[in-house]
Amino acid sequence: MKQPRHRRLSFTRHEHPLWALPAFGLLLIAAVWTATWLQLQATERALIGAATHDTEHLAAEFEQYTRRTIKDADRTALLVKHEFEQHGAVDLPALIRAGLIDATGIVVVNIADANGDLIARSQPAAPFNMADREFFRLHAERDTGLLDISKPVTGRASRRPTILLSRRMNHADGSFAGIVLLAVTPEYFMQFYQESEMGKRGSLGLLGLDGIFRARRVGDDATSLSDESGAPLVARARTNAVGHYEARSSIDNVMRIVAYRKLADYPFIVKAARATDEALADFYTYRNNYLIIAGAATVVILVFFSVITVLALRLQRRQGELKLQRRFLETLLDNVPSGIAVRSMLPGAFGKYVLWNESNALTFGRKSQDALGKTIRDVVPAENVARILDLDRQLLASPMVQEIVQMRDLPGKGRRIIHLIRAPLFGAEGQVEYIMTSATDITEERARTDELRLASKVFETTADAIVISDADDRVVMVNAAFSKLTGYDAQAMVGKILDESPFGPIDVAEAKARDERLDRDGFVAAEVPRVRKDGTPLSLWLTASCVRSADGTIRNYVRVFTDISPLKETQRKLEQLASIDSLTGLPNRRLLNDRLEQAAHRAQRSNKGMAVMFIDLDGLKKVNDTLGHGVGDLLLQEAASRLQKCIRLSDSIGRLGGDEFAIVLEDARNRADATAIGERIVAAFALPFILDGHCVTTAASVGIAIYPNDGTDAATLLKNADVAMYKAKQAGRNQFRFFSTGTHVEVTVG
């Protein structure tokens, strides 16, 4: 019995656990907050991404600015160095008046001699000595040829934080002459900050690869504080020359989006940063508005589902009285094996389905919710509607049970055969209020009957011979094709064990092995020989299989015999065509090569000699051109006939193609054996040919290779015989030559 499926009637309602209502409300609230959170996260990520992109762009611009600033200062140092080394002294006032050196004080130019004493300066200052400075000692020790940029120091003259850029100056002999020193304040590098939009708490920094900042600006405050807080950034830049990250500043504890770039030309890293809270200022306002909306939506959802839950509790209590009746009715209907459908004949609901059980849903592939409350035009295929409506009119006019069979096209099932029993359901006053229909799908039952009928017809009309035997292999039946093929009728075969019947196997041992394999594997296919009743041999293809019971025991054997005798004959002819030259009837190149290889193997095993003769028929082209290809073909056929008369029965001859032939001489122990054959060939071709009334003269050029001196394999022997043939042709034709690695002249007959 099928388990009952509930809520299949039109007068019931689908129930859900009461906890589903508040659970759905909570789920909806969770969805609101999840969507809000996801939207805020997406917006925040997008804004941070945009801020990061802007910061990276600022870092790139700051990099260009820094490189340009350093290069401008270096050009000034190079100018002073050049003037000093060319003239032995530098006139700074002249350079300033010429506009080649800035006199505004942003860059202060100092020139010191080899002792470190200040000898010239672009700004007034008291004399001082810089021999104790690290950069001075560096230039004095060796000429690096590079611009040196110092860590921030306190200027001796200005008493302000200063960055010193210096180059070495040399005498004409290359010895140390002093340095040119450019002193700049950190603001020299930080002027870029005023040109960019970095917010009130943005940051710029010029960091040396030693981890010490040369210049730094946070907001409006510029500093040259010499500390080693840049070491982590240096480590990061050594791995990736360009990058970004988010970090909290050790100076003012502000979280910033940082972008950095390592300068390719100088040992510096430029850093640009924007305060994260400034970049996300608009987002925070946007976030607060979203949170307020989500909170309001939460309150509305809670109130709504609270009211709905209370109403649902009341409704559940009212429906409690109907549960037992519903369960009984649903169980009864769902366990009926036939599809049951009920349509109303009452006014207001006329023709609508009010009941549709599970079996009906399985039969027609339409669920109850897709049928209940709908009319027959909505449910039944259009081609069946008119017939059913006509039956409705008949049943209403004369209430009685109706039995019909219909063809229906069902979704996913195709064309089906449905057996319908229709009965009226009466009301209290005897009128028909409902029509009940019981539907049974009889497609498979009809198909089984048709299959049996078809199988019987196929068995009798098939072109292949079929033998069916029982578990003891005793023949049960044979078809008409079997009698036609073998000459044995059913009376001669039925009741006899197949192997002992008139059509028993010829290959007894192989048949026994096939039967054992059939019992083991359940299937056998093989070529078998048999004999017709009149004694004619048959070549058959046997396909045998076992029919087993549910417990695996063999019930029947089915053997199908296909006559392949014509196929075997065709195969034999094809094999002959593949190895014989169609014009001369001689073996072709493939077969001759095979025979030559076998002869070489036999000669090797038996230690006997053999020879290969390569014959070229001279004059064939002339015959084809003057007398036609028909006469040329006759010449080839006659040449093949003469060659066959020249050889022994143990020798093989074949046509290689065109006018070329080859002969395999077996057991040719010495050259004398080959010489005798060669002389006969030359003599045979010295005689004229009478072809279709034409007298044709030709000649044969013959080359001979002897095993094993001239080769031990087929290819080598044939090639060397070909070489000897060309020597015979060059020597005047109508003669033969033996192959020789020397002069090639062995024997000539003409």
Side-chain angles (χ1 to χ4, degrees), residues 230-240 269:
L233 179 55
V234 172
R236 187 188 295 267
R238 291 187 188 278
T239 303
N240 296 303
I269 300 168

Side-chain angles (χ1 to χ4, degrees), residues 82-139:
H82 176 77
E83 288 292 320
F84 180 87
E85 291 178 351
Q86 289 291 319
H87 306 291
V90 178
D91 187 357
L92 282 181
L95 293 176
I96 293 172
R97 287 193 301 273
L100 299 177
I101 293 180
D102 183 17
T104 60
I106 297 177
V107 179
V108 179
V109 180
N110 302 272
I111 300 175
D113 60 19
N115 297 321
D117 294 324
L118 184 67
I119 58 176
R121 197 168 191 269
S122 62
Q123 295 290 329
F128 61 89
N129 185 278
M130 58 184 73
D132 60 336
R133 291 296 182 111
E134 180 179 354
F135 60 86
F136 186 89
R137 292 197 301 271
L138 174 66
H139 289 306

Side-chain angles (χ1 to χ4, degrees), residues 527-568:
E527 182 180 341
V528 298
R530 287 289 192 274
V531 178
R532 287 191 178 95
K533 186 177 181 179
D534 60 6
T536 306
L538 282 171
S539 293
L540 302 174
W541 183 259
L542 167 66
T543 304
S545 59
C546 297
V547 179
R548 298 183 184 273
S549 303
D551 59 358
T553 59
I554 296 175
R555 289 182 55 189
N556 295 98
Y557 295 97
V558 179
R559 293 177 175 86
V560 180
F561 296 92
T562 304
D563 185 7
I564 60 172
S565 300
L567 179 63
K568 297 286 287 184

